[in-house]
Amino acid sequence: MKIGPIEVWPPVVLAPMAGITNPPFRVLCREQGGGLFVCEMITTRALVERNPKTMRMIRFDESERPRSIQLYGVDPEIVGRAVKMIVEEDLADHIDLNFGCPVPKVTRRGGGSALPYKRNLLRRILRAAVSNAGPLPVTIKMRKGIDDDHLTYLDAGRIAVEEGVAAVALHARTARQHYGGVADWESIARLKDAVQEIPVLGNGDIWSADDAVRMVRRTGCDGVVVGRGCLGRPWLFRDLENAFNGSSERVRPTLGEVADVMERHAEGLTGCFDAEKSAISDFRKHVGWYLKGFTVGSEVRRELATADSLDGLRAGLAKLDRDQPWPPNTDTPRGKSGERTKVLLPDGWLDDAWDFDVPEDAESDVSGG
């Protein structure tokens, strides 16, 4: 799969996930197999204003090539400035634009999965990004639409092609679905039929490498985007590489091997935070994902989930049964789930699908979703 000048094999992209896809996690995933590995969502306003937290978030490990940044923005002028800054300061090799985030603090500003409803605003943002990107490929990630009554993905896909976007990725859910229900893979096939000039990537309900291959075969998409399926499972990217190369070999680590990865992950996070305690606190959310399916006593789980230092975490990891084999039937949903009763939008957002006014206070100065 080619995304602009970048050749990607296997045709796999690590989805940007707030609080997850920081350098330590990306490195763990990248060590397992090839693909594109995208950083957490960065707001364009925070980038152009050089917000200190945002500038830390766009750091890459020296081993990371190509470097991929995902931007979130609503104002075409600010998006253009952010893209130009990335090019001029050599901050990345690939830019992805977020039109898929469903969280209320994003959609109520008109951003994320709310924005493609405004077709002309979407077009202006894409034109600003592509015209300032120079040799860097610009891609987009989106959802089907706001809800089943306001689907936008086919229009957005055609606009992306017309404005010079290098690839489009579709999370086959609406914003209202959030992460609930079942991903509509047939919508990926419809998008591929409508957008044949550039690669189309599918996203949603890929819990194993076999799911990824099945999605490609069923929909005809050119590649896949993996999000929640790799939580606590960076070795999924080795499975994906094997699967796309035609191998049936799959990684099935023992609990001891998982524990070693957990320790490396936590150690890596200490380099991203100002304090070890903050790093270990951030790591706690990963504990349940790593241990899913394994038999681990409640006291040890509690010790790991409440550790506040590397030594405390290591002490808990030392109590695990290192010889315990990989549990069966663990290729199942993990991470966020559930639907929304409604999608929060700016006042009057649905009145006109073609206006291109930027909502007041649309641009956030806080990165990370």
Side-chain angles (χ1 to χ4, degrees):
M1 181 176 66
K2 289 200 70 173
I3 296 180
I6 301 173
E7 294 189 5
V8 183
W9 188 261
V12 174
V13 176
L14 168 64
M17 292 179 281
I20 304 293
T21 56
N22 44 38
F25 186 70
R26 295 197 306 266
V27 167
L28 289 174
C29 294
R30 186 184 290 270
E31 288 176 351
Q32 300 295 321
L36 277 179
F37 300 84
V38 188
C39 78
E40 300 174 74
M41 185 178 81
I42 301 299
T43 64
T44 51
R45 176 183 164 190
L47 182 61
V48 299
E49 292 180 356
R50 298 186 180 274
N51 174 279
K53 177 186 174 184
T54 295
M55 300 308 290
R56 289 194 299 270
M57 290 173 66
I58 61 172
R59 292 180 301 185
F60 290 88
D61 185 84
E62 61 183 13
S63 68
E64 294 191 76
R65 287 291 188 279
R67 301 159 299 165
S68 296
I69 285 181
Q70 187 186 67
L71 297 178
Y72 155 75
V74 181
D75 187 320
E77 192 270 334
I78 298 177
V79 171
R81 288 169 57 193
V83 171
K84 185 176 182 180
M85 175 180 169
I86 290 171
V87 174
E88 292 181 345
E89 300 183 20
D90 188 27
L91 300 177
D93 308 299
H94 158 235
I95 297 168
D96 187 55
L97 298 178
N98 183 306
F99 301 113
C101 184
V103 301
K105 68 179 180 180
V106 169
T107 60
R108 73 185 179 194
R109 294 174 180 262
S113 53
L115 197 144
Y117 183 75
K118 300 291 191 180
R119 275 71 165 179
N120 286 331
L121 180 57
L122 174 68
R123 186 182 294 277
R124 290 180 63 200
I125 290 173
L126 297 183
R127 186 169 297 176
V130 173
S131 65
N132 283 284
L136 272 61
V138 175
T139 61
I140 68 171
K141 185 170 185 284
M142 59 185 178
R143 285 183 174 239
K144 290 172 58 180
I146 293 172
D147 53 36
D148 287 339
D149 295 324
H150 302 89
L151 299 178
T152 56
Y153 68 103
L154 295 178
D155 283 349
R158 293 306 311 164
I159 293 170
V161 170
E162 292 164 6
E163 295 303 326
V165 167
V168 297
L170 177 66
H171 184 159
R173 288 181 169 89
T174 64
R176 186 182 183 281
Q177 280 183 278
H178 205 62
Y179 296 96
V182 177
D184 173 23
W185 286 8
E186 294 309 310
S187 66
I188 300 170
R190 289 190 289 272
L191 180 62
K192 181 58 188 175
D193 287 341
V195 179
Q196 299 189 13
E197 299 91 333
I198 59 176
V200 171
L201 294 89
N203 176 224
D205 293 351
I206 295 178
W207 310 112
S208 69
D210 295 327
D211 289 336
V213 173
R214 195 158 41 246
M215 175 186 280
V216 171
R217 287 175 177 166
R218 184 183 301 178
T219 70
C221 67
D222 301 282
V224 300
V225 179
V226 178
R228 294 173 296 151
C230 68
L231 296 176
R233 295 182 63 199
W235 48 86
L236 176 59
F237 288 90
R238 197 187 321 171
D239 287 350
L240 288 161
E241 182 156 311
N242 287 339
F244 280 107
N245 284 328
S247 170
S248 61
E249 182 181 351
R250 301 292 181 265
V251 180
R252 295 295 179 261
T254 64
L255 183 52
E257 292 169 323
V258 171
D260 291 341
V261 173
M262 293 173 70
E263 183 174 355
R264 279 193 61 206
H265 192 169
E267 289 172 346
L269 286 174
T270 61
C272 290
F273 290 83
D274 295 331
E276 179 180 310
K277 187 173 182 178
S278 298
I280 301 306
S281 176
D282 184 78
F283 178 75
R284 291 173 188 165
K285 61 176 173 280
H286 295 273
V287 170
W289 297 327
Y290 275 114
L291 298 182
K292 183 173 183 178
F294 286 105
T295 301
V296 178
S298 58
E299 290 188 9
V300 176
R301 282 184 181 270
R302 188 179 309 110
E303 182 176 348
L304 291 169
T306 58
D308 60 5
S309 68
L310 273 173
D311 285 343
L313 181 70
R314 289 173 180 138
L317 293 174
K319 297 177 183 179
L320 297 175
D321 175 9
R322 293 187 59 85
D323 295 327
Q324 189 177 150
W326 177 258
N329 304 318
T330 56
D331 293 337
T332 54
R334 54 188 65 213
K336 303 172 185 176
S337 62
E339 298 191 3
R340 300 283 187 181
T341 56
K342 66 176 182 178
V343 180
L344 295 184
L345 300 167
D347 290 341
W349 190 250
L350 299 178
D351 293 347
D352 184 351
W354 300 99
D355 74 47
F356 48 80
D357 294 334
V358 178
E360 187 177 353
D361 298 325
E363 287 288 329
S364 172
D365 61 354
V366 178
S367 292

